[in-house]
Amino acid sequence: SPYISINQTTTGITLTLPSPTNTASGRILRIANSGTATFRILNNNIIPGTFADFIWTGAVWIQGANGANTINVRDYGATGIDNSSVDDSLAFTNAINAVIALGGGILFIPTGKYRVDNIIIPSNIIIRGAGKGVSRIFQFTTGQRMFWVNGQIATGPNTGFGHKSYFSMEDLSLEGGTKSTEILRIDGGSVFKLEDVNFAGGTLSQLYMKECFDSWVIRCNFKSSTSTTTKTTILDYGQYDNTNNIRFSGCTWEGNSHVGAFKIICGGGANNVYQITFDEECKFENDTVDTDTEIFLIDGTLGGSGKGDVINLRFINPIFVINKNASLISFFRTVNANVHGMSIDGGQIFYNGYTAGDTNPPLINFASDTTSQAYNIALMNCYFYGTQALSTYYAVKTIRADTTQILCQY
């Protein structure tokens, strides 16, 4: 997020935030007080040594979860000790409720190892650790979800997704092992941020996002074990809303001993997944024992009768490391669902570990049925590395597709 430090030395000052040049909603601005006197922005007193977050709605700035209201989870009974028989779930829930009672703020998780189940994350909260290697959260009970953002309205005339907004998780490790089903599930989330979070383990998904928009995943690492069938990251559109405008920056997916690292589901309904961007050298890597058929999967088998598309999928300077036979991207069977506007720009693609007799899957495999289309697919300024003749792999298998290869080098 943009960051401004103000060296305030005069008391009684109230500052006004100007409108940003880019007026798109969802911009987050952090303002810190590095001076000796308190100043005020909106309804927030920013005392020396603290900061506040402000969020642009598209029309006005509003106060976000900020450094003025900080709750330490240890103060509510969390132990942080490495003891598999200690459940810190109630302490986490009570501490979160205390933050919300203050109107929003920070839940701080000090160095330690915590075990929790089914923690509900509300709007207007920052869950912040002391570092992703030292503030570590584990699953307590087998077969449970670790964290859940539930923005769904289950019943009534407004059934659908009401959305939870303005929340973030920062500087943490979330380690599901073989106990977690989903480590973090976000149903109906908007204007949220995940930054410097390690995800590990889990048996269904490490990060599941359904009907979410206008959000960021920054420098997060996704790593699975050899015993899991996890899809590390899933973007799902569903019955009520689109999933759109999600940006992944500087993230890594590695050691993925499962079918694929990243999955987009074309779920039920006539909604779309669009404007999904990967930048700042996101890295995707499978391992040498994989049975992967692809690293990145667009799965349309749940398409149903509704027509939903994957639109404007962009990879900017990505790194793909293929250590075992796999396509880079596969688009599986869909019913009335399309992929269009996908680009890989400045990609580095490494082929490692191929041996004689290996099958040679296409680089991009659009094995969709004839009711669907894949078009406007571009590979630009890409570099390919490997020990075999890459012309065998540098191919596109597709039905009714328009693919352009521009300035690619071997």
Side-chain angles (χ1 to χ4, degrees):
S1 302
Y3 180 92
I4 297 175
S5 179
I6 298 177
N7 184 14
Q8 185 64 38
T9 58
T10 304
T11 60
I13 299 297
T14 297
L15 302 179
T16 301
L17 297 177
S19 299
T21 302
N22 182 348
T23 58
S25 65
R27 300 176 67 84
I28 299 175
L29 174 65
R30 175 165 294 178
I31 297 180
N33 187 346
S34 59
T36 58
T38 298
F39 60 88
R40 188 173 180 83
I41 298 178
L42 298 180
N43 295 316
N44 190 74
N45 288 319
I46 307 177
I47 64 175
T50 68
F51 63 86
D53 288 336
F54 300 92
I55 302 165
W56 178 252
T57 66
V60 296
W61 289 101
I62 63 173
Q63 182 178 333
N66 61 78
N69 299 328
T70 300
I71 296 294
N72 190 323
V73 73
R74 293 284 189 94
D75 294 337
Y76 286 78
T79 62
I81 61 175
D82 191 11
N83 188 331
S84 60
S85 65
V86 176
D87 184 359
D88 287 319
S89 299
L90 182 60
F92 270 68
T93 298
N94 289 341
I96 288 172
N97 290 339
V99 172
I100 299 309
L102 294 172
I106 296 172
L107 173 63
F108 180 61
I109 303 172
T111 298
K113 296 181 179 180
Y114 306 84
R115 286 170 171 80
V116 301
D117 290 332
N118 298 315
I119 302 301
I120 303 298
I121 300 176
S123 298
N124 300 315
I125 189 169
I126 296 173
I127 299 178
R128 176 178 294 152
K132 58 186 178 182
V134 295
S135 294
R136 303 171 65 188
I137 303 176
F138 299 82
Q139 192 76 52
F140 180 71
T141 304
T142 299
Q144 299 293 315
R145 180 184 294 128
M146 188 181 291
F147 288 97
W148 187 21
V149 178
N150 183 12
Q152 184 172 8
I153 303 170
T155 59
N158 296 317
T159 298
F161 283 81
H163 290 275
K164 300 294 184 181
S165 303
Y166 310 126
F167 60 88
S168 71
M169 301 187 78
E170 305 172 0
D171 300 315
L172 293 164
S173 289
L174 307 180
E175 304 178 37
T178 58
K179 289 188 173 183
S180 291
T181 52
E182 296 155 333
I183 293 178
L184 173 59
R185 179 172 180 133
I186 305 174
D187 287 317
S190 62
V191 198
F192 63 83
K193 181 178 68 172
L194 307 175
E195 185 170 7
D196 292 310
V197 179
N198 280 344
F199 292 81
T203 60
L204 290 180
S205 58
Q206 294 175 334
L207 173 60
Y208 189 113
M209 292 188 286
K210 183 175 184 177
E211 307 196 8
C212 297
F213 59 89
D214 293 346
S215 299
W216 303 265
V217 183
I218 303 169
R219 294 187 303 276
C220 291
N221 302 318
F222 301 89
K223 185 175 178 63
S224 64
S225 65
T226 56
S227 61
T228 182
T229 55
T230 302
K231 296 288 185 184
T232 57
T233 310
I234 299 177
L235 296 174
D236 184 6
Y237 74 75
Q239 184 176 358
Y240 304 111
D241 207 348
N242 298 306
T243 289
N244 65 87
N245 197 22
I246 308 293
R247 181 176 293 269
F248 296 84
S249 297
C251 297
T252 62
W253 291 261
E254 59 183 343
N256 301 300
S257 295
H258 48 77
V259 184
F262 198 108
K263 181 178 182 180
I264 294 178
I265 298 177
C266 300
N271 299 300
N272 302 316
V273 174
Y274 63 91
Q275 292 292 97
I276 309 300
T277 302
F278 301 85
D279 62 13
E280 297 186 14
E281 295 188 339
C282 284
K283 181 180 179 181
F284 302 81
E285 180 175 6
N286 66 354
D287 63 28
T288 58
V289 297
D290 256 333
T291 57
D292 286 3
T293 53
E294 69 283 318
I295 291 181
F296 195 106
L297 171 64
I298 302 170
D299 185 354
T301 58
L302 301 179
S305 59
K307 179 181 178 181
D309 296 340
V310 178
I311 306 168
N312 291 342
L313 180 63
R314 301 178 62 208
F315 299 86
I316 303 171
N317 299 323
I319 300 171
F320 295 95
V321 182
I322 304 174
N323 293 312
K324 188 67 175 176
N325 276 19
S327 290
L328 199 65
I329 298 172
S330 286
F331 176 32
F332 277 3
R333 171 186 172 273
T334 63
V335 179
N336 297 324
N338 307 308
V339 173
H340 52 90
M342 186 185 79
S343 64
I344 301 175
D345 190 355
Q348 298 183 69
I349 297 98
F350 295 84
Y351 288 88
N352 301 324
Y354 283 88
T355 58
D358 278 349
T359 58
N360 301 323
L363 179 72
I364 299 177
N365 182 21
F366 288 107
S368 56
D369 69 21
T370 56
T371 66
S372 303
Q373 298 184 56
Y375 51 91
N376 293 334
I377 313 300
L379 282 72
M380 302 174 289
N381 305 304
C382 294
Y383 289 82
F384 296 81
Y385 306 88
T387 56
Q388 293 191 1
L390 288 178
S391 58
T392 307
Y393 311 106
Y394 187 49
V396 177
K397 177 183 178 182
T398 182
I399 296 176
R400 293 174 18 181
D402 172 22
T403 303
T404 303
Q405 301 164 4
I406 305 172
L407 297 177
C408 292
Q409 300 185 33
Y410 295 90

